[in-house]
Amino acid sequence: MSTPARPHAKGNASLDAPHLSSTTLGDPEHTAAATNNPATITLDDDPQAVLAEFCARQWCDGLPIVPPTEERVRAMLSGADRDASLGAMPPLWRQATLEKLAVNAVMAGCEPAYFPVIVAAVKAMLDPAFNLYGVQATTHPVAPLLIVNGRYAQTIGLHSGSGCFGPGFRANATIGRAIRLILLNVGGAWPGHHDMATQGSPAKYSYCIAEREDASPWGPLRDGDVVTVFGGEPPHNVNDHVSTTAGGILVTIADTAVSLGSNVGWYFSQSQLLIVLGPEHAQTIAADGLSRADVQRFVFEHARLPLGTLKLGGMWGIHDWPAWMKAITDDDAQLPQVPSPDDVFVMVAGGPGKHSAVVPNCTFSRAVSRPITV
Amino acid sequence: MLIGTTAFQGLAVSEMAALGVTGLPLVVVDHPLGGERPDAIARRAHQAVEQIMSLIGRT
């Protein structure tokens, strides 16, 4: 089955030349074929054989893949320069060429139309402000959440309605998965080796949504066709079935946003919160006359913990606070968990129901946006 | 010189190789550091000092 030399496709097999190279995919240090990684491999045209081989080489996430044949990779590139690099990707600092991104996008099950979103997301992740090395190698369960704004998201079928965090929607599932495969195979962040997440998270399989711009009372999070990457935990649910006012809903959101066990607040300067309002919560808040800036200000002012509580555990003693916060001695003082209202991002997504979500960040990464170039 | 704990030794070695500094001296102390009591942290400090002194040619 694993014959890393010549093609021997069977019958009508389409797997005669999976376009893979040891420098493109996998980490030779941890692959089954560490001593003989070819530019191409040949496998029987059997889905189970393909999956077994890719799993053995640690070239996938454990789920079935679409074999990245030369033809499919070429289609994914759609004429783009395959050798063009977006930069070196940590933690192993391999070059993120468009060809490598395309190989992983094919494997994830993407349509070629999704590729511009992936390219924009990788550009954003490689911005130093995102600190991809920290995101990749940390013990925290952070995963890059892709938030896609603009008409192009609708064109390619990115879902923003009921169940937008999944499952069920190909564009969301496969774009998010392609990002993870790129982080595994190009970046080299294999769990337990270079991805040191203590437990990881389901969000590390796929984490991609669009915004419900049609349901937002305040317009989109970002104007135009834009991808924002946010180094976040999985979504924390906010259930509020009773509040009929902005104040009621936002108090519930603020309470959900902070806890002793969160990273947010301890590394203060880069702490950020993403509030994903369900459309019904958003409408109730807006009906009371609040703007997006008002929501940001409210959460900033109310998502706080008393000093006495913060002293009980978490990261007390190894936290990184500004001097003005260190100077506080009153145990009842309510301390902010993010530096400013601008570090509270507010967007709208989801379907009917009285639920929203809070996504705390990992606190050593800042959200970055990049335009989608089609 | 790079100082880390045993659990992160593999990451450190891979990172040094990726960055082309494989000759960088590596000082390794027992994992973990977080959540340990002062006496355990002191033992790790002694581990580090012994290795660092050896690496700089002093005993």
Side-chain angles (χ1 to χ4, degrees):
Chain A
M1 181 181 67
S2 173
T3 55
R6 292 300 312 152
H8 68 283
K10 289 183 176 179
N12 295 323
S14 58
L15 304 181
D16 56 328
H19 192 87
L20 304 171
S21 78
S22 59
T23 55
T24 300
L25 295 175
D27 174 4
E29 194 172 291
H30 303 296
T31 55
T35 57
N36 189 10
N37 279 286
T40 60
I41 62 172
T42 302
L43 304 170
D44 291 343
D45 188 10
D46 172 8
Q48 293 189 36
V50 171
L51 177 60
E53 182 65 18
F54 274 65
C55 287
R57 290 174 180 264
Q58 295 188 342
W59 281 357
C60 75
D61 54 8
L63 298 172
I65 55 110
V66 174
T69 61
E70 175 65 33
E71 181 182 19
R72 292 176 181 137
V73 172
R74 192 182 308 117
M76 186 62 64
L77 284 164
S78 300
D81 178 4
R82 64 174 61 214
D83 295 324
S85 175
L86 302 184
M89 179 172 284
L92 296 188
W93 304 101
R94 297 167 175 150
Q95 288 298 314
T97 65
L98 294 185
E99 180 183 47
K100 294 177 190 176
L101 305 190
V103 167
N104 285 280
V106 171
M107 288 168 59
C110 291
E111 293 276 1
Y114 306 167
F115 196 55
V117 178
I118 294 166
V119 171
V122 172
K123 287 178 179 175
M125 290 192 300
L126 292 179
D127 185 309
F130 189 71
N131 185 18
L132 185 57
Y133 179 83
V135 169
Q136 288 269 66
T138 180
T139 54
H140 183 267
V142 56
L145 167 61
L146 272 59
I147 305 157
V148 188
N149 279 106
R151 187 179 299 273
Y152 194 68
Q154 298 172 32
T155 302
I156 63 174
L158 265 168
H159 184 64
S160 60
S162 294
C164 55
F165 281 110
F169 304 96
R170 181 179 177 182
N172 301 52
T174 61
I175 291 172
R177 187 187 183 202
I179 293 299
R180 176 50 52 190
L181 291 175
I182 289 165
L183 294 174
L184 285 166
N185 292 327
V186 183
W190 193 259
H193 295 288
H194 307 126
D195 171 355
M196 298 301 292
T198 304
Q199 296 180 321
S201 105
K204 286 196 170 206
Y205 278 100
S206 182
Y207 206 18
C208 175
I209 61 172
E211 183 168 20
R212 267 295 295 281
E213 296 182 12
D214 64 305
S216 171
W218 311 293
L221 176 68
R222 296 285 182 266
D223 290 322
D225 294 321
V226 172
V227 175
T228 300
V229 291
F230 185 90
E233 295 181 358
H236 298 212
N237 185 53
V238 180
N239 171 12
D240 189 335
H241 273 72
V242 298
S243 293
T244 57
T245 64
I249 292 169
L250 289 172
V251 163
T252 307
I253 287 171
D255 182 72
T256 307
V258 292
S259 68
L260 199 55
S262 175
N263 271 29
V264 165
W266 296 114
Y267 294 139
F268 191 70
S269 67
Q270 297 192 75
S271 290
Q272 295 184 321
L273 292 167
L274 171 67
I275 312 300
V276 185
L277 292 170
E280 293 179 13
H281 279 170
Q283 290 302 324
T284 300
I285 293 167
D288 274 356
L290 275 70
S291 67
R292 173 179 268 121
D294 290 330
V295 175
Q296 292 173 286
R297 169 63 68 175
F298 191 106
V299 174
F300 170 72
E301 296 287 355
H302 290 81
R304 300 190 173 207
L305 289 172
L307 178 62
T309 297
L310 290 165
K311 286 180 176 178
L312 296 175
M315 293 182 69
W316 179 255
I318 55 175
H319 53 286
D320 184 11
W321 287 357
W324 71 267
M325 284 177 69
K326 290 179 183 172
I328 295 172
T329 57
D330 178 3
D331 279 351
D332 294 328
Q334 295 284 335
L335 300 188
Q337 301 298 291
V338 295
S340 78
D342 288 339
D343 293 298
V344 179
F345 299 86
V346 178
M347 62 174 287
V348 178
K354 301 296 181 185
H355 293 268
S356 292
V358 173
V359 182
N361 83 338
C362 59
T363 72
F364 39 79
S365 166
R366 297 184 68 79
V368 176
S369 300
R370 285 289 182 277
I372 300 167
T373 304
V374 180
Chain B
M1 185 177 299
L2 195 154
I3 303 176
T5 68
T6 47
F8 291 84
Q9 188 171 356
L11 173 62
V13 170
S14 296
E15 195 67 16
M16 286 192 291
L19 295 172
V21 288
T22 51
L24 206 59
L26 183 60
V27 173
V28 181
V29 300
D30 290 341
H31 190 81
L33 292 176
E36 291 296 309
R37 295 184 178 183
D39 58 336
I41 295 299
R43 282 198 298 274
R44 286 158 176 76
H46 286 300
Q47 285 181 328
V49 168
E50 288 171 8
Q51 293 175 65
I52 292 168
M53 295 292 278
S54 175
L55 285 167
I56 64 175
R58 298 178 64 177
T59 59

